[in-house]
Amino acid sequence: MNLLLIITGSIAAKKCKKIVSELSKKKIIIDIIVTNSAKKIIDINPLKKIIKGKIYLDSSEKRKKMLHIRLARKASLIVVCPATANIIAKYSNGYADDLASTTLIASDKQIVFVPAMNVEMWNNNINLRNVKKVLENGAEFIGPDYGKLSCGETGLGRLSNENKIIQIIYDNLKNTHKLKNKNCIVTAGPTIEEIDSVRYISNYSSGKQGYEIAKQLILSGANVTLVSGPTNLQPPTKTKIIKVKTAKEMNRVVQKYNKFDIAIFTAAVSDISPIKTTNKKIKKNQLKNIILKNNPDIIKNFSKKTFKKNNLIIGFAAETNNHILNAKEKMISKGCDLIVVNKINKINNVFNSDYNRVSIIDKTKIEHFKKMTKKNVAKILVNKIINIYMDK
Ligand code: C5P
């Protein structure tokens, strides 16, 4: 397991030695970036002796080109400890002006911030807004805790207890392997059903929710095949992407897929398509004569087949009325173990948004969640999947 630790310039940087030393005893390979201001606070030589990885300073990138990319890719997890108001502000606003901030922005991994600063700095609305943005982007925070601060004042801003930090980092690192060797298929995005050379039937789906789920599965160590309708999104690194256009094509790809552990169907498949298409433009007055047919129900076809035990089939349902009841019926009729439902209305306009408000329904219970980013919905769902596998 590879940890990238970023030490920034809070006086609490002095407490890092214990954290580094305990995690190294657990056979974790640690690389460390020390920012210029942290370098003025700590002596890096004792850390060098403890870790199996290397220590990098801001100047290291001059010698090793693309170091920020290499460090971001090598890490299983990135922890910023201690995290100053400055590094939180930089990350929250997309700054990339030194090795630490460039690596954070280039990262495709889980990031954990462990703040330590003066109480007024922490409680400053500007800092709290930055923290909120960082949380919405899927990063996690440990602390800060309430107590006596290095500056002599008392309040929220203390670095959390080192043993707690060590435990959370270790648990997070273990999470990066929990779905190792699990084969997952995720469908995402809309499908497009051609009417003629200029027109089509489709829907507003952006594919964002499915892509975020694929990313979280990858972060938990799974092998992910993403079957995507047309979107403008960048597939997460390490996913096998199969691009399709129509429901028929998506169905063909999915039904071929027999060796799977987890199948998640987030795609907003068009329910209908014209029985025939033409490469000419249909005259306006002929459009009302178009005959439509139902598209294949991809989940239903998939869940009808017999697979090995211990697999999971997860559906999505976007409903405007009786959403829970309709979703429950859908879960059963489509042969899903679990269904994620979003009630579509003016307040929760899910399509193309970065936010979603969902309920997760399984055979025994319903869990309702507040509105959150699609990234955080994906994290909740993947944690749920991990828990299901841990119980099996
Ligand atoms: O029936 P409805 O479209 O509301 O069901 C939504 C769920 O079914 C989603 O998980 C979607 O990906 C899946 N679906 C499918 N094939 C279809 C239509 C929907 O797999 N033709």
Side-chain angles (χ1 to χ4, degrees), residues 190-194 200-203 245-252 255 268-277 291-301 304 334:
T191 64
I192 283 186
E193 316 297 334
E194 231 171 74
Y200 62 79
I201 299 169
S202 190
N203 56 63
K245 194 167 156 192
T246 65
K248 200 172 152 193
E249 284 170 23
M250 189 177 271
N251 188 48
R252 201 182 306 133
Q255 305 313 330
V269 184
S270 305
D271 293 311
I272 44 168
S273 54
I275 55 164
K276 61 172 192 225
T277 60
I291 304 172
L292 300 169
K293 66 171 190 301
N294 285 328
N295 277 334
D297 192 309
I298 302 171
I299 302 192
K300 241 185 209 169
N301 291 345
K304 267 197 307 228
K334 287 180 186 257

Side-chain angles (χ1 to χ4, degrees), residues 188-369:
T191 64
I192 283 186
E193 316 297 334
E194 231 171 74
I195 296 173
D196 63 15
S197 56
V198 296
R199 304 182 183 92
Y200 62 79
I201 299 169
S202 190
N203 56 63
Y204 291 119
S205 169
S206 62
K208 283 179 186 168
Q209 187 63 79
Y211 278 58
E212 289 295 352
I213 290 169
K215 182 169 179 186
Q216 290 305 320
L217 290 168
I218 292 275
L219 287 179
S220 301
N223 307 322
V224 180
T225 301
L226 178 62
V227 187
S228 173
T231 72
N232 294 319
L233 304 172
Q234 171 75 25
T237 42
K238 292 193 193 156
T239 30
K240 181 180 173 203
I241 176 95
I242 303 177
K243 291 192 174 168
V244 295
K245 194 167 156 192
T246 65
K248 200 172 152 193
E249 284 170 23
M250 189 177 271
N251 188 48
R252 201 182 306 133
V253 171
V254 170
Q255 305 313 330
K256 268 196 213 148
Y257 201 82
N258 285 321
K259 265 176 70 187
F260 85 104
D261 298 286
I262 301 153
I264 307 182
F265 294 87
T266 67
V269 184
S270 305
D271 293 311
I272 44 168
S273 54
I275 55 164
K276 61 172 192 225
T277 60
T278 160
N279 50 14
K280 292 195 197 88
K281 186 180 168 194
I282 299 172
K283 288 285 168 211
K284 212 185 288 182
N285 59 359
Q286 294 294 314
L287 279 173
K288 58 180 180 305
N289 298 328
I290 292 169
I291 304 172
L292 300 169
K293 66 171 190 301
N294 285 328
N295 277 334
D297 192 309
I298 302 171
I299 302 192
K300 241 185 209 169
N301 291 345
F302 191 72
S303 64
K304 267 197 307 228
K305 300 194 282 183
T306 34
F307 294 112
K308 66 172 176 144
K309 284 200 174 106
N310 278 351
N311 58 34
L312 262 183
I313 299 181
I314 300 175
F316 269 67
E319 302 287 339
T320 49
N321 306 307
N322 293 330
H323 63 295
I324 297 292
L325 206 67
N326 288 344
K328 267 185 175 171
E329 274 174 21
K330 224 168 252 188
M331 176 174 75
I332 292 158
S333 68
K334 287 180 186 257
C336 302
D337 301 289
L338 211 106
I339 196 151
V340 183
V341 54
N342 24 49
K343 185 177 181 184
I344 308 284
N345 54 27
K346 273 193 186 137
I347 305 162
N348 190 34
N349 189 4
V350 176
F351 289 110
N352 220 352
S353 161
D354 287 334
Y355 292 83
N356 204 353
R357 186 177 177 184
V358 302
S359 302
I360 300 182
I361 305 175
D362 64 22
K363 303 273 160 67
T364 56
K365 61 184 176 309
I366 304 173
E367 282 175 280
H368 301 287
F369 296 92

Side-chain angles (χ1 to χ4, degrees), residues 118-130:
N118 172 268
V119 54
E120 295 300 334
M121 290 170 91
W122 176 257
N123 282 330
N124 191 307
N125 275 333
I126 297 172
N127 179 59
L128 294 179
R129 275 203 297 276
N130 289 334

Side-chain angles (χ1 to χ4, degrees), residues 169-210:
I169 294 176
Y170 191 55
D171 289 345
N172 260 291
L173 276 166
K174 278 199 294 189
N175 269 345
T176 63
H177 283 72
K178 289 222 169 117
L179 295 178
K180 204 169 166 60
N181 298 328
K182 298 272 179 262
N183 293 318
C184 306
I185 183 163
V186 180
T187 70
T191 64
I192 283 186
E193 316 297 334
E194 231 171 74
I195 296 173
D196 63 15
S197 56
V198 296
R199 304 182 183 92
Y200 62 79
I201 299 169
S202 190
N203 56 63
Y204 291 119
S205 169
S206 62
K208 283 179 186 168
Q209 187 63 79

